[in-house]
């Protein structure tokens, strides 16, 4: 909607300037001509700037900056590979933890009275300890990924 308003306003100004340039009073013609000449100067200055920067590019002005960007992207790719591997390892350990948790739950559901209470507490404590470690490492990986 805003783009439509700006486009309409732009063409309205161009139309008004064109009308004043051809059909306006002497003062309106002079004002329209000044505006058109200033617009041409801006376009010319922009073109000169682009030519100048292109020549500087050809002379090697941006070579160091491009090398730095290339080095940064290579380093990021290396770190990303290491980070990806760490995430994969974490996912594998999380899957193993889920499986242990599910197996323990099945044992409890099957016959809770047949299990030794101390053994059950120990297994639950071990799973809780692993869960906390996975949670801490997961948060660290999440922060590293940002």
């Amino acid at each position: 909607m805003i783009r439509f308003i700006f486009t309409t306003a732009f063409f309205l100004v161009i139309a008004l300037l064109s009308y004043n340039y051809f059909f306006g009073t002497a003062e309106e013609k002079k004002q329209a001509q000044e505006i058109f000449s200033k617009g041409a100067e801006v376009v010319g200055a922009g073109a000169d700037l682009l030519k100048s920067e292109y020549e500087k590019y050809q002379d090697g002005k941006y070579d160091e900056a491009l090398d730095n960007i290339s080095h940064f992207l290579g380093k990021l790719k290396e770190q990303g590979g290491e980070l990806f591997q760490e995430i994969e390892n974490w996912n594998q350990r999380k899957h193993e933890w889920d499986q242990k948790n599910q197996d323990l739950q099945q044992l409890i559901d099957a016959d809770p009275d047949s299990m030794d209470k101390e053994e059950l507490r120990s297994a639950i404590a071990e799973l809780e300890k692993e869960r906390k470690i996975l949670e801490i490492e997961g948060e660290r990986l999440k922060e590293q990924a940002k």
Side-chain angles (χ1 to χ4, degrees):
M1 182 66 181
I2 293 175
R3 190 167 100 187
F4 174 74
I5 292 171
F6 282 129
T7 303
T8 304
F10 175 76
F11 284 116
L12 182 62
V13 168
I14 296 296
L16 184 60
L17 284 173
S18 298
Y19 177 81
N20 284 345
Y21 185 79
F22 292 109
F23 302 110
T25 64
E27 185 180 320
E28 291 172 340
K29 286 181 180 182
K30 182 179 176 188
Q31 185 181 29
Q33 189 173 17
E34 286 177 21
I35 292 172
F36 279 130
S37 67
K38 287 179 184 176
E41 288 175 19
V42 169
V43 170
D48 290 342
L49 174 67
L50 288 176
K51 286 179 188 176
S52 167
E53 289 302 313
Y54 180 72
E55 288 172 1
K56 290 177 185 177
Y57 170 77
Q58 293 289 3
D59 292 338
K61 175 183 177 184
Y62 298 107
D63 288 350
E64 185 177 341
L66 293 174
D67 288 342
N68 287 341
I69 291 171
S70 177
H71 178 70
F72 171 74
L73 291 175
K75 194 173 185 180
L76 188 63
K77 184 178 178 182
E78 288 173 11
Q79 289 176 349
E82 292 170 8
L83 183 60
F84 179 76
Q85 185 62 39
E86 285 184 51
I87 291 171
E88 285 297 314
N89 290 340
W90 184 87
N91 281 330
Q92 179 63 33
R93 289 182 20 234
K94 166 95 171 53
H95 176 72
E96 291 169 2
W97 182 87
D98 287 338
Q99 188 62 45
K100 288 178 189 177
N101 189 30
Q102 188 177 24
D103 292 345
L104 183 61
Q105 190 62 43
Q106 287 175 352
L107 282 174
I108 292 171
D109 290 345
D111 190 12
D113 295 331
S114 69
M115 293 191 67
D116 180 24
K117 300 291 182 190
E118 188 59 38
E119 192 176 304
L120 181 61
R121 282 190 195 118
S122 176
I124 291 172
E126 185 65 31
L127 277 176
E128 182 61 20
K129 182 180 172 184
E130 287 181 39
R131 184 198 61 81
K132 286 180 182 179
I133 291 171
L134 283 170
E135 186 177 326
I136 291 169
E137 287 183 21
E139 286 298 319
R140 181 186 59 83
L141 290 172
K142 183 178 172 184
E143 286 299 317
Q144 245 183 328
K146 288 180 182 179

